[in-house]
Amino acid sequence: MQKEAYNTTGTQLDPTPQFTFTLDGTVQDQNNGTGKLRFDNVTLGKHQVKEFVPPTWNQLSVTPEEGRVTVAGGDQCAAVIFKNMQHLDDS
């Protein structure tokens, strides 16, 4: 899983702030400062990764659509990319 985060002017943030993700609605974890997260010991087959989007962020895109992936055998990882942009709080 790869996370990309942008500030309000569109500049990519480095280090990447932590966001919370779930795998199939049960396993929960956060990305590291480089934006990466790996779920280990995932069974073969179809899965979905979802992101909790904090109130001061907008989700720009998720690839593949809706974070749906198929895990195949071997060492190949199934990748999901999440992109978010900060917005100013209107309150």
Side-chain angles (χ1 to χ4, degrees), residues 36-57:
K36 297 196 184 311
L37 169 62
R38 179 180 172 140
F39 290 103
D40 292 317
N41 302 315
V42 178
T43 59
L44 301 180
K46 296 179 185 280
H47 299 277
Q48 185 175 24
V49 179
K50 289 186 176 183
E51 171 186 43
F52 170 74
V53 181
T56 58
W57 291 85

Side-chain angles (χ1 to χ4, degrees), residues 14-31:
D14 184 21
T16 304
Q18 285 190 316
F19 286 74
T20 301
F21 299 88
T22 60
L23 175 67
D24 297 331
T26 57
V27 181
Q28 184 174 312
D29 207 346
Q30 293 183 324
N31 61 281

